[in-house]
Amino acid sequence: MSAAAPAKPAISTFERYLSLWVALCIVAGIALGYALPGVFAIIAGAEVARVNFVVAVLIWLMIIPMLLKIDIGALGSVRQHWKGVGVTLFINWAVKPFSMALLGTLFLGWLFRPLLPEAEISSYIAGLILLAAAPCTAMVFVWSNLCDGDPAYTLSQVALNDIIMVFAFAPLVALLLGVASITVPWDTLLISVVLYIVVPVIVAQILRRAVIASGGQAALDRLLGRLGPVSLIALLSTLVLLFGFQGEAIIAHPLVIALIAVPILIQVYFNAGLAYWLSRRFGVAWCVAAPAALIGASNFFELAVAAAISLFGLTSGAALATVVGVLVEVPVMLSVVSIVKRTRPWYEGRLDA
């Protein structure tokens, strides 16, 4: 079954300035946390098996609209771009999670250790691992569009990553947390995978098929247009909650966010560069190599936030680390888009030589 390539999405003004809205949510969350501590205490108590109901609803509102864009039938077109798919799979599953664990341990566990609260260091590293263990499934469509990437490749790669995540996310996270000497609550981890990967994928695919069957692609596009703002509002609402609980720790340790961002920044540029270089080495067309670099570098931060909250709690350092990933994602990925576009003549000149 072949799938039509998705329509190229334009990045909205809201998405372009997502980092600004995230920064405003940080301020709002901290202020509300101090002003309304009782409200946040009630929200924190609404949980079972460390799954917070309020946050779970917000996460589903974030993830399901994004997964509606994915056509699992696109897996049939993987063969057309097997070199580019192979490069990205290698980066996403064999390099990125392990490089992040290494960088997190190097910077947070060693170089920056004197500047960080000792009790939270292992939790910060766990958050970075969760951030890197899930490749992005939504915003990469925007990044691919901005660099004129092949939409069929992007769609097939994202669909394949979604399928792999269902089976590989939990074992990979457990392995890396174990290597980092962090206790793995397997029951909570498996619940997170079911709640935030399996269920949303199933719901999104059922809803997608039903909408297309009743009104075609135009109906799906209209639904996505309505749900897009809902997804972003849910993301920002989740951040307000997170920073409402994290406010005291952030004010007490103002350097924490900047220090956590260092390994994230290094890892994004390293993985994007490695994917781009490997694509060139294997003779991949630039229109595939550009989105390959972006998919290899970006993270499914919505899933990372949800898993961190479930595994370690709303007020944990792991949750804070994943939120830092949200803060740096947009400006960093826009810079990667600029780099691959500026280097296109060099890439294609060497490729044709």
Side-chain angles (χ1 to χ4, degrees), residues 2 23 28 39 41 65 68-69 78 102 125 129 137 158 173 180 239 243 255 302 306-307 317 321 325 339 350:
S2 61
V39 173
L68 276 173
K69 301 175 184 178
V78 166
L102 176 62
I125 295 172
I129 290 171
T137 65
V158 170
V173 167
L239 297 182
F243 280 97
L255 284 179
E302 297 85 359
I339 291 169
R350 291 297 297 270

Side-chain angles (χ1 to χ4, degrees), residues 28-331:
I30 293 173
L32 289 172
Y34 273 98
L36 303 169
V39 173
F40 281 84
I42 293 172
I43 295 173
E47 64 177 33
V48 172
R50 301 194 73 172
V51 175
N52 185 276
F53 292 135
V54 177
V55 175
V57 171
L58 291 173
I59 294 294
W60 287 326
L61 290 174
M62 269 192 265
I63 294 176
I64 291 176
M66 296 176 180
L67 294 177
L68 276 173
K69 301 175 184 178
I70 310 301
D71 181 6
I72 299 300
L75 290 174
S77 64
V78 166
R79 295 186 301 273
Q80 300 174 23
H81 308 287
W82 67 272
K83 288 184 179 179
V85 168
V87 167
T88 311
L89 287 179
F90 173 69
I91 298 297
N92 282 156
W93 298 104
V95 176
K96 186 166 66 171
F98 300 93
S99 64
M100 182 62 96
L102 176 62
L103 288 170
T105 302
L106 174 63
F107 282 94
L108 305 186
W110 183 45
L111 293 177
F112 297 157
R113 177 176 286 273
L115 302 174
L116 295 169
E118 183 70 27
E120 294 290 346
I121 290 176
S122 62
S123 187
Y124 295 147
I125 295 172
L128 295 182
I129 290 171
L130 289 168
L131 191 64
C136 186
T137 65
M139 287 296 286
V140 287
F141 287 112
V142 175
W143 312 138
S144 179
N145 175 48
L146 290 176
C147 66
D148 299 319
D150 187 310
Y153 159 77
T154 305
L155 179 61
S156 59
Q157 178 68 75
V158 170
L160 184 57
N161 272 334
D162 273 357
I163 296 298
I164 293 174
M165 267 196 293
V166 171
F167 302 99
F169 181 77
L172 183 59
V173 167
L175 170 65
L176 290 174
L177 292 183
V179 170
S181 300
I182 298 168
T183 302
V184 180
W186 266 101
D187 55 345
T188 307
L189 179 57
L190 294 176
I191 289 173
S192 297
V193 170
V194 172
L195 284 178
Y196 303 122
I197 302 180
V198 178
V199 171
V201 167
I202 292 173
V203 170
Q205 289 303 304
I206 291 173
L207 181 57
R208 177 188 173 89
R209 290 170 184 258
V211 172
I212 290 179
S214 63
Q217 183 64 42
L220 179 63
D221 291 340
R222 288 194 297 271
L223 178 61
L224 289 173
R226 297 189 193 104
L227 292 180
V230 173
S231 180
L232 288 171
I233 291 171
L235 168 63
L236 298 178
S237 299
T238 303
L239 297 182
V240 171
L241 285 180
L242 286 175
F243 280 97
F245 289 106
Q246 296 280 358
E248 185 176 348
I250 293 170
I251 291 175
H253 305 282
L255 284 179
V256 167
I257 290 179
L259 296 179
I260 292 174
V262 172
I264 297 175
L265 290 170
I266 293 173
Q267 119 123 356
V268 168
Y269 289 118
F270 169 74
N271 286 297
L274 181 58
Y276 198 51
W277 177 78
L278 287 174
S279 296
R280 178 169 161 269
R281 291 280 295 180
F282 288 116
V284 176
W286 184 87
C287 64
V288 171
L294 296 161
I295 295 172
S298 56
N299 304 306
F300 192 178
F301 53 74
E302 297 85 359
L303 172 61
V305 169
I309 292 170
S310 297
L311 290 171
F312 300 100
L314 279 164
T315 61
S316 66
L320 179 61
T322 58
V323 172
V324 175
V326 183
L327 182 62
V328 303
E329 174 92 358
V330 173

